[in-house]
Amino acid sequence: MRVLNRIIPLVSNFISLEGGNMHTCAYCLTADKPYLFDAGNPGDATNQYAPELQFHGIALQDLGGVFVTHAHGDHAGGAIELHEMGIPLMLPEAEVPYLEDMPAAFDHFFAPSFRALGQADLIPEIRMREKLGYITGPCRVDRPVKDDEVFALARDVHIRVVPIPGHTDHSVGYYWEEAGAMFTGDAVQGYGQCVGALPIIQNPPAFARTLKKLLGMDLQVMLTGHMFQNRGTHAVTANNVKFQKEIDHFLKENLELHEIMLNGVADAVAAKGDVPFTELIVPAMDNIAKEIPILADYTAPIPRPYNFPQLWLDTLVAYYRTVKGELK
């Protein structure tokens, strides 16, 4: 089956939370109707995707729905404007509260970092702010999707919902069964969008299980949510569509990165003993930086409130919680 002549990659530019120029990736799959898989940031669908789709003879109003992999604003944000146009918005059932209730999203995504940093007293006020990092919404979800549910979008297009948590607790992939193609969102990130940072991992044990699951699926095509880096790429050479052996290599490299981060934090905890998380940041990152290039100034004092989401720091908190037995 010729896969890529049925899929239109859609790439939008945005300014990251750290001020850099980044890209997010969505995809339009032509079945009995065209369907989007992820929808970028707020405004991306109408301002950046619509002209590309129009070139292929597709209007936004033609879309049969938007399948969103997880509730972060750079994937679900664009789906909100489509929802307002009457295009059905689909989201993993367990992630629905994080799009419909922004304070609940804060509690889930950011509150653990505030607590680890000794800033829990700031949570009640900050969780009620309207703009909260990559949280977006509020928006009602038209169709919560269940793990392992199958959507028949055409005679030769059956999309299975595959739980692939780690980046968030309830991220899913959308697996085109006939083609062996998986829309993975942010589940597999390598070095993240920029070499010198850490991938954004909310649940490290689940992340490791996801990588092993994907390695066992013999994927033919992997379509990722950003142009994620591996050891041999930089900003101009990373690609968002990967094939066969390239997929295996990328997944195994992610497992190596997971072990480096886990061991770096575990070794710092073993060396320093039962001390506050803030005293582990520098030794843990020193350990990790021996294997992974780090550009973030992790020796700088942590502000109050911290600059959430400070992405490398949120990942470090998740690995600390894993070492402490809080995440399984």
Side-chain angles (χ1 to χ4, degrees), residues 77-124:
I80 294 174
E81 59 192 313
L82 295 173
H83 163 83
E84 293 170 350
M85 296 169 55
I87 309 301
L89 190 166
M90 279 78 85
L91 184 73
E93 185 174 43
E95 296 251 327
V96 168
Y98 313 139
L99 194 60
E100 295 188 342
D101 183 346
M102 293 173 72
F106 175 90
D107 293 342
H108 185 71
F109 293 130
F110 297 139
S113 291
F114 276 82
R115 294 191 184 97
L117 292 166
Q119 300 184 10
D121 59 302
L122 302 179
I123 291 174

Side-chain angles (χ1 to χ4, degrees), residues 100-145:
E100 295 188 342
D101 183 346
M102 293 173 72
F106 175 90
D107 293 342
H108 185 71
F109 293 130
F110 297 139
S113 291
F114 276 82
R115 294 191 184 97
L117 292 166
Q119 300 184 10
D121 59 302
L122 302 179
I123 291 174
E125 186 272 327
I126 292 177
R127 72 189 293 272
M128 299 306 296
R129 292 182 183 172
E130 290 186 8
K131 185 170 179 56
L132 297 168
Y134 49 63
I135 293 175
T136 194
C139 179
R140 183 180 61 83
V141 174
D142 298 293
R143 176 67 160 81
V145 303

Side-chain angles (χ1 to χ4, degrees), residues 8-16 20-28 36-53 60 72-79 81-82 186 193 224-228 235 240:
I8 304 168
L10 301 165
V11 179
S12 54
N13 298 313
F14 70 101
I15 302 301
S16 74
N21 185 37
M22 300 293 183
H23 306 86
T24 190
C25 304
Y27 303 89
C28 181
L36 279 190
F37 290 82
D38 284 333
N41 284 287
D44 283 357
T46 51
N47 296 328
Q48 301 195 54
Y49 299 161
E52 178 68 18
L53 291 173
L60 293 179
H72 286 172
D74 56 337
H75 295 264
E81 59 192 313
L82 295 173
D186 287 355
Q193 286 202 70
T224 63
H226 299 275
M227 296 177 183
F228 292 123
N240 54 308

Side-chain angles (χ1 to χ4, degrees), residues 308-326:
F308 78 94
Q310 200 161 350
L311 303 180
W312 65 268
L313 185 54
D314 293 324
T315 294
L316 198 69
V317 168
Y319 276 90
Y320 170 72
R321 295 178 66 207
T322 299
V323 170
K324 300 295 283 187
E326 296 177 23

Side-chain angles (χ1 to χ4, degrees), residues 17 20 47 91 112 129 135 157 169 188 202 258 277 280 305:
L17 295 161
N47 296 328
L91 184 73
R129 292 182 183 172
I135 293 175
V157 180
D169 279 336
V188 189
Q202 185 181 15
H258 165 73
F277 170 75
L280 294 167

